[in-house]
């Protein structure tokens, strides 16, 4: 049952509000003295507080300030018989959730209370998640994220291999790091390999190391990632991009618990826990014979799928607030907040680049919009290509050639953003050579 506190010097008002809210199954306390009210707040945990502005001993705005200083997760609705616009503006400016005039309208009260309580719940969940997990941890209020956090906690302590799947920017790396951080291997560094970033001919030496002179260019002996990750965790990122040849070697290393450096004769024992991740549809990769089924089963002991952001839009509020706070603090900017229109807009977007795209947009907003309260209008102009504006591309007097070029530019820009400006990956998605992509970027003046 949700708890509400009413602070108003007129007992009749307190009682009438209590009656309305009791009937709607809220648990209601009231106080006719602000000081007593403040004490109650310290002791209890109220999901919303209704606070009168005109009280004899202490002005409601001063009480508001005192409650805010307590930094407790709640939301405050100001009430006043003197329903001046000035009061309403002042209340919201000072951070009150809402303003209701007396005599109190029942429906208005219930709606406002419901919204305030919902917001407090988000706030509490966010705090709880923050308390549980430190900086760089996984935030979200969706069932999917909660389940992921639960799975991480459960699996981290074991030695089980984890395969993380999900689109670009969904937070796979974050999940991998959280598993390692909560494991018994946490005192050792997590060793990461991005399998997509390493050319095929070098991946073996990257993973297993090589002996001096084992191939042209092997000037010195090199210790590979498997050896570096001994007694720790090895994160094989983008495993879906690993060549079949390298997959065979990784499989052998997993089965034997031993590796061999390229050009070496000795088997070296390694005790490595493997976490892997991919944004590819790995089952399809197996069907297409690009990924070994036996290796898949070895890696996929505990599967963790991170759904795309558009399938868990509840997370957008917590994430955007978190990024805003973090980025403002990092850059020494005053904190900003998104108004309702802005939040609605953020929730309506498709987020093909997922959480990373959201983070980048929040950063862009903070840098480009010199305001502290951000509305949808401020954001609209900053969503450049993700929602390609066909009218703008078409123009009025555009020739067909101009249209094609503008569309191509917008498309390339969108793909670059979706792939975090990773040129190789974007070229892959577009089905063109990297050099070709560079050429296009130059032609269209595209820069990060
Ligand atoms: N649930 C989350 N809570 C907080 N931050 C998140 C969350 N999910 C993702 N992020 C942030 O979003 C960005 C992208 O996340 P990450 O690099 O883990 O994604 P990824 O799935 O590995 O992407 P890619 O497939 O492109 O490698 C990072 O800055 C990360 O910290
Ligand atoms: Mg990643």
């Amino acid at each position: 049952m949700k708890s509400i506190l009413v602070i108003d010097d007129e007992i009749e008002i307190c009682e009438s509000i209590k009656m309305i809210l009791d009937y709607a199954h809220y648990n209601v306390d009231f106080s006719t003295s602000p000081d007593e009210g403040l004490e109650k707040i310290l002791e209890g945990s109220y999901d919303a507080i209704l606070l009168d502005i005109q009280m004899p001993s202490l002005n409601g705005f001063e009480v508001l300030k005192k409650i805010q200083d307590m930094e407790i997760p709640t939301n405050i609705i100001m009430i006043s018989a003197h329903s001046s616009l000035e009061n309403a503006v002042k209340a919201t400016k000072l951070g009150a959730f809402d303003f209701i005039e007396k005599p109190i309208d029942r429906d208005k009260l219930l709606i406002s209370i419901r919204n305030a309580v919902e917001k407090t719940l988000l706030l509490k969940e966010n705090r709880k998640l923050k308390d549980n997990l430190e900086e760089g941890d996984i935030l979200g209020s969706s069932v999917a994220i909660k389940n992921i956090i639960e799975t991480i906690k459960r699996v981290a302590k074991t030695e089980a291999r984890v395969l993380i799947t999900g689109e670009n920017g969904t937070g796979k790396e974050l999940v991998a790091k959280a598993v390692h951080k909560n494991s018994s291997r946490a005192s050792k560094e997590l060793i990461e390999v991005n399998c997509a970033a390493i050319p095929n001919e070098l991946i073996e030496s990257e993973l297993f190391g090589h002996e001096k002179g084992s191939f042209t260019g092997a000037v010195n002996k090199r210790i590979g990632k498997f050896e570096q990750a001994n007694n720790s965790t090895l994160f094989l990122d983008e495993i879906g991009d690993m060549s079949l040849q390298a997959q065979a070697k990784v499989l052998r290393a997993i089965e034997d618990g031993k590796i061999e450096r390229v050009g070496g004769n000795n088997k070296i024992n390694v005790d490595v826990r493997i976490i892997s991740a991919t944004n590819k549809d790995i089952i399809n990769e197996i069907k297409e014979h690009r990924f070994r089924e036996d290796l898949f089963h070895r890696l996929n002991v505990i599967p963790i799928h991170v759904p795309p952001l558009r399938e868990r839009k509840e997370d957008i509020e917590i994430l955007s607030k978190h990024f805003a706070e973090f980025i403002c603090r990092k850059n020494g900017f005053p904190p900003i907040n998104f108004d309702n229109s802005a939040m609605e807009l953020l929730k309506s977007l498709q987020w093909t680049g997922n959480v990373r795209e959201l983070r980048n947009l929040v950063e862009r907003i903070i840098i480009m919009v010199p305001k502290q309260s951000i509305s949808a209008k401020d954001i609209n102009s900053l969503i450049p290509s993700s929602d390609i504006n066909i009218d703008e591309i078409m123009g009025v007097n555009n020739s067909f050639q101009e249209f094609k070029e503008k569309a191509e530019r917008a498309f390339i820009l969108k793909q670059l953003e979706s792939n975090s400006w990773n040129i190789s990956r974007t070229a892959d998605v577009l089905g063109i050579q990297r050099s070709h992509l560079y050429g296009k970027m130059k032609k269209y003046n595209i820069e990060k």
Side-chain angles (χ1 to χ4, degrees):
M1 212 174 183
K2 300 294 171 204
S3 299
I4 315 291
L5 177 69
V6 187
I7 305 178
D8 195 312
D9 56 307
E10 288 175 76
I11 187 132
E12 298 79 22
I13 300 272
C14 292
E15 283 173 342
S16 70
I17 292 178
K18 182 170 164 55
M19 221 165 71
I20 299 173
L21 295 180
D22 274 349
Y23 196 70
H25 305 294
Y26 288 101
N27 183 7
V28 185
D29 277 345
F30 61 79
S31 196
T32 49
S33 122
D35 284 330
E36 189 197 56
L38 287 168
E39 264 170 44
K40 282 198 165 162
I41 293 170
L42 270 182
E43 288 159 14
S45 158
Y46 295 103
D47 298 284
I49 297 167
L50 283 155
L51 177 59
D52 186 25
I53 295 180
Q54 283 82 20
M55 290 182 286
S57 60
L58 202 57
N59 175 292
F61 290 121
E62 291 167 46
V63 184
L64 174 69
K65 173 87 182 53
K66 289 193 176 196
I67 302 174
Q68 283 168 336
D69 288 344
M70 295 177 187
E71 294 192 343
I72 43 176
T74 190
N75 278 287
I76 300 156
I77 300 164
M78 305 296 285
I79 43 179
S80 174
H82 305 267
S83 70
S84 66
L85 182 66
E86 199 185 323
N87 267 345
V89 171
K90 191 169 173 191
T92 20
K93 251 197 183 152
L94 290 176
F97 174 75
D98 203 356
F99 174 85
I100 302 181
E101 58 190 50
K102 295 182 196 169
I104 286 173
D105 177 86
R106 182 183 162 276
D107 291 340
K108 223 174 174 182
L109 173 70
L110 287 174
I111 291 172
S112 185
I113 286 281
R114 193 186 63 204
N115 291 340
V117 165
E118 228 168 64
K119 202 158 175 208
T120 301
L121 192 71
L122 267 178
L123 211 67
K124 283 184 178 168
E125 282 186 351
N126 196 3
R127 282 222 183 156
K128 203 165 89 198
L129 287 171
K130 265 194 190 158
D131 287 348
N132 280 350
L133 305 158
E134 298 155 16
E135 224 322 75
D137 285 311
I138 303 156
L139 301 177
S141 58
S142 62
V143 175
I145 286 295
K146 284 181 188 160
N147 286 342
I148 288 173
I149 293 172
E150 272 312 303
T151 309
I152 292 172
K153 280 189 191 148
R154 192 173 295 222
V155 74
K157 301 282 176 232
T158 74
E159 295 288 299
R161 283 177 216 117
V162 181
L163 175 65
I164 309 159
T165 52
E167 289 181 9
N168 278 328
T170 44
K172 298 184 296 298
E173 186 172 336
L174 212 57
V175 171
K177 286 181 171 160
V179 173
H180 175 70
K181 207 160 66 181
N182 289 291
S183 78
S184 58
R185 296 170 181 254
S187 61
K188 289 211 147 195
E189 195 193 348
L190 171 76
I191 305 294
E192 299 179 45
V193 187
N194 186 332
C195 305
I198 303 164
N200 270 340
E201 58 278 16
L202 292 181
I203 185 100
E204 268 182 61
S205 124
E206 180 77 16
L207 291 174
F208 306 111
H210 59 240
E211 297 294 349
K212 185 174 170 180
S214 53
F215 56 88
T216 333
V219 192
N220 290 310
K221 181 174 101 176
R222 175 190 186 136
I223 302 293
K225 298 283 185 183
F226 264 85
E227 267 184 86
Q228 287 175 34
N230 193 23
N231 296 321
S232 185
T233 310
L234 178 62
F235 176 37
L236 297 176
D237 200 2
E238 319 271 11
I239 186 120
D241 293 78
M242 192 184 267
S243 70
L244 282 164
Q245 199 186 349
Q247 288 175 34
K249 301 241 158 132
V250 170
L251 179 68
R252 232 190 34 233
I254 292 177
E255 283 175 344
D256 298 353
K258 292 189 178 95
I259 59 118
E260 222 171 293
R261 294 189 192 131
V262 176
N265 310 313
N266 301 339
K267 294 248 180 200
I268 303 164
N269 284 323
V270 282
D271 169 16
V272 172
R273 179 188 195 180
I274 295 180
I275 301 176
S276 29
T278 181
N279 53 26
K280 293 207 162 156
D281 176 350
I282 203 84
I283 301 295
N284 190 48
E285 294 300 295
I286 294 171
K287 266 193 213 137
E288 301 285 333
H289 305 291
R290 285 191 294 260
F291 203 86
R292 293 182 66 117
E293 189 167 2
D294 45 7
L295 178 60
F296 167 72
H297 289 300
R298 291 279 179 176
L299 298 175
N300 194 40
V301 180
I302 306 289
I304 296 183
H305 178 67
V306 192
L309 191 55
R310 63 184 165 280
E311 287 174 18
R312 46 180 170 105
K313 292 198 166 178
E314 319 80 294
D315 292 345
I316 290 175
E317 182 157 357
I318 285 180
L319 286 169
S320 42
K321 283 182 178 167
H322 164 76
F323 291 141
E325 195 188 311
F326 181 77
I327 293 163
C328 285
R329 196 159 5 105
K330 198 176 76 180
N331 292 297
F333 291 162
I336 61 151
N337 79 290
F338 298 105
D339 74 7
N340 285 342
S341 68
M343 204 43 85
E344 285 312 306
L345 175 63
L346 291 179
K347 285 181 185 167
S348 72
L349 298 175
Q350 278 308 297
W351 301 115
T352 45
N354 293 296
V355 185
R356 183 179 293 112
E357 189 186 1
L358 174 62
R359 191 188 196 285
N360 290 347
L361 179 65
V362 171
E363 186 155 12
R364 207 177 306 143
I365 293 167
I366 291 170
I367 294 169
M368 303 301 290
V369 185
K371 283 186 190 169
Q372 271 168 274
S373 180
I374 310 289
S375 70
K377 248 189 176 164
D378 303 319
I379 301 180
N380 254 326
S381 61
L382 296 175
I383 317 168
S385 50
S386 44
D387 288 327
I388 296 171
N389 185 339
I390 198 79
D391 291 333
E392 198 183 303
I393 292 172
M394 295 275 294
V396 194
N397 300 315
N398 276 351
S399 67
F400 184 41
Q401 185 58 30
E402 275 171 323
F403 168 75
K404 278 195 296 190
E405 286 183 358
K406 281 189 175 173
E408 188 174 46
R409 182 182 194 281
F411 189 65
I412 290 174
L413 191 56
K414 178 178 155 60
Q415 292 299 344
L416 279 163
E417 280 173 356
S418 301
N419 290 289
S420 321
W421 294 85
N422 180 322
I423 304 291
S424 310
R425 223 186 294 155
T426 310
D428 238 17
V429 172
L430 296 172
I432 59 177
Q433 296 283 331
R434 276 167 50 132
S435 55
H436 193 180
L437 176 56
Y438 274 123
K440 295 267 184 204
M441 287 169 69
K442 200 162 167 208
K443 174 177 170 191
Y444 294 129
N445 224 344
I446 299 177
E447 276 174 34
K448 191 174 177 183

